[in-house]
Amino acid sequence: MIELYVVRHGQAQDEAVGGDAMRALTAKARKRLHKTARNLADRSGGIDLILTSPLVRAVQTAEILAGSCKPDAVEVLPELAPPHAPEAALAAVSKRAKGAGAIALVGHEPLLSRLIAALAEGVSPGKLEIRAGSVVRVDVDRLPKPRKAIARWWLKSGRHKGLPLKEEPKEAAPKKARAARPAAPAVAKKRPPRKRPAPRPKPLEASEPKPPEASEPEPVAPAAEPPGLTPS
Amino acid sequence: MMRLYLVRHAIAEELPEQFRFGDDLRALTAKGRNRFRRTAKRFARLGEPVRLICTSPLLRAVQTAELLAAAVGHDDVKVLDELRPDAAVDPLLARLAELGAPSAALVGHKRLMRELAAALAHVEAERIRFRRGAIARIDVRHLDDVASGKPLWWMAPSDDEVTPGLPLDEALPA
């Protein structure tokens, strides 16, 4: 499997003299990203390659991640910039991947949501909410068109299982895995019992409260049951 | 008094893979990254107090500035339009005065870095050899008075030591 870490650039200034492409990260976003970068370095088994959109805020995000994750290479991929289609982006990523087992992609919304949706059939991009500075891990068996994709977890001040979904009032509670909410880990623990073994009492790394490690990842796109796509 | 560290961006791709994106989007090469990371580490070991890192918005400069920020462990990075390749010295100095930091690293491009060094050190720009990834420290008493500039030292990407003065072309008479 190839580990893809889909990263949305951190919060940027509202405007810049040179236009949208020149907007830089805010001081606050940089600080947060350093944390996320360390978090990502701890949780990923190492990242081989970081590919970034050429826009300033994305390049800065990529370089901050690189500072902690120490990839073999940081490369700029114009196809990760806003006007491109997810298929074009994935084709370009696939071309650059050259056997890399863990690749971070730094880019923008809505392209990233569409890209994840393109990886995992049945996920609607409109339901995803990838916030600035967050990381979504999706494992795929191959690129650019995977047969199998697994949404592992996402990071934004703490780790959450599955995919970052927009809150849907009518849906069941466990879907509310929003980072900023202190209740999120508790909700995750209270989840109704399933076939998998009971959650471990303590997360592996206890720097901040987070839901316990999943013993087995849930497939993003099991062909038969679309609701199963949404991560547990 | 303000300490300025003039930095020329590290080695970048000669041509962008996609012509449509042009010069703005040339990225650092692997060699450029590795070399500059070493330069930045050596610079960090000097313990120079960099309070602000300013960079041209062009990709290769932004990357260089971020490598420098990571090495010195200082995280105030500002992208300045006044550091674009076609910018002039005076507006840049005015902007720096406005920012008012006691020390700043300026990551930019060959022509402007040479012209700035030349203006502050009272030499002809043509005599200055500013290699990619080089860093030069110049102190300025007053930003509105270029004559108050004093070049202290510079470091080339390949050198372990800093060299006093400015990187001048020795072929020309002093």
Side-chain angles (χ1 to χ4, degrees):
Chain A
M1 294 294 270
I2 303 167
E3 298 171 13
L4 291 180
Y5 296 89
V6 178
V7 185
R8 184 172 170 206
H9 64 81
Q11 191 86 48
Q13 305 163 307
D14 291 334
E15 49 189 36
V17 182
D20 177 66
M22 301 303 162
R23 286 164 52 210
L25 295 181
T26 63
K28 194 171 161 192
R30 297 182 66 92
K31 210 177 260 175
R32 284 196 181 167
L33 277 170
H34 279 290
K35 250 181 158 170
T36 305
R38 284 192 294 267
N39 213 340
L40 181 60
D42 287 348
R43 292 175 185 291
S44 60
I47 288 177
D48 304 317
L49 173 65
I50 298 182
L51 297 174
T52 177
S53 137
L55 273 54
V56 167
R57 56 192 183 279
V59 172
Q60 290 185 308
T61 301
E63 294 292 346
I64 290 175
L65 294 183
S68 292
C69 298
K70 313 247 182 272
D72 299 330
V74 178
E75 292 177 14
V76 174
L77 202 63
E79 286 81 358
L80 285 171
H84 293 275
E87 293 76 19
L90 285 172
V93 169
S94 167
K95 237 170 145 183
R96 291 283 186 103
K98 296 178 215 115
I103 308 169
L105 308 176
V106 185
H108 312 263
E109 280 290 67
L111 174 57
L112 295 180
S113 285
R114 294 175 59 208
L115 188 144
I116 290 175
L119 288 174
E121 277 171 44
V123 174
S124 134
K127 283 197 173 165
L128 293 171
E129 187 172 33
I130 305 175
R131 308 190 68 187
S134 60
V135 182
V136 183
R137 174 174 166 185
V138 179
D139 293 358
V140 294
D141 63 339
R142 61 173 190 182
L143 286 170
K145 285 187 184 157
R147 281 162 303 197
K148 197 176 160 199
I150 304 170
R152 298 292 296 268
W153 41 258
W154 57 284
L155 282 181
K156 168 83 187 175
S157 41
R159 200 196 66 164
H160 312 269
K161 271 189 255 177
L163 290 174
L165 297 174
K166 280 186 186 147
E167 279 186 57
E168 280 183 56
K170 282 175 202 162
E171 296 277 357
K175 299 256 165 76
K176 287 212 246 173
R178 284 281 300 277
R181 277 158 224 245
V187 169
K189 272 176 205 152
K190 270 189 251 152
R191 206 178 305 158
R194 297 211 181 169
K195 55 195 168 190
R196 67 160 159 256
R200 274 177 241 165
K202 274 202 172 177
L204 283 179
E205 287 133 300
S207 55
E208 49 195 311
K210 54 187 96 85
E213 203 94 357
S215 53
E216 50 182 323
E218 301 229 337
V220 171
E225 34 167 324
L229 299 187
T230 48
S232 51
Chain B
M1 222 266 296
M2 185 172 190
R3 297 160 185 241
L4 294 179
Y5 303 92
L6 279 56
V7 185
R8 186 174 165 207
H9 65 79
I11 304 169
E13 305 164 325
E14 281 305 319
L15 281 174
E17 253 170 62
Q18 277 85 357
F19 284 111
R20 63 203 146 118
F21 287 105
D23 181 59
D24 284 16
L25 296 186
R26 284 163 51 201
L28 298 188
T29 61
K31 182 179 165 189
R33 294 181 68 85
N34 289 336
R35 269 202 189 180
F36 190 75
R37 250 205 308 259
R38 283 201 299 274
T39 308
K41 235 182 236 167
R42 285 205 310 276
F43 175 78
R45 259 187 252 126
L46 298 174
E48 299 278 331
V50 180
R51 295 274 170 268
L52 177 64
I53 297 173
C54 300
T55 176
S56 141
L58 270 55
L59 180 48
R60 56 194 183 275
V62 172
Q63 289 187 302
T64 304
E66 292 295 337
L67 292 176
L68 186 65
V72 300
H74 187 71
D75 213 42
D76 194 356
V77 179
K78 284 204 160 49
V79 177
L80 300 189
D81 227 45
E82 289 83 354
L83 276 167
R84 277 181 164 281
D86 55 356
V89 168
D90 288 346
L92 172 59
L93 290 173
R95 185 69 205 276
L96 289 175
E98 204 180 289
L99 291 169
S103 62
L106 309 176
V107 183
H109 306 269
K110 185 174 173 183
R111 192 192 53 78
L112 182 59
M113 289 298 107
R114 274 169 103 190
E115 285 185 3
L116 179 59
L120 295 172
H122 342 291
V123 296
E124 291 157 46
E126 293 69 36
R127 287 192 57 210
I128 300 174
R129 297 186 61 183
F130 220 120
R131 291 176 56 193
R132 287 172 294 184
I135 303 178
R137 174 175 162 187
I138 303 179
D139 289 1
V140 195
R141 194 158 304 140
H142 305 289
L143 281 170
D144 51 2
D145 173 20
V146 287
S148 70
K150 187 179 174 210
L152 289 182
W153 51 255
W154 60 281
M155 59 198 294
S158 45
D159 299 346
D160 274 336
E161 301 293 322
V162 300
T163 312
L166 270 181
L168 295 178
D169 201 329
E170 282 150 28
L172 290 170

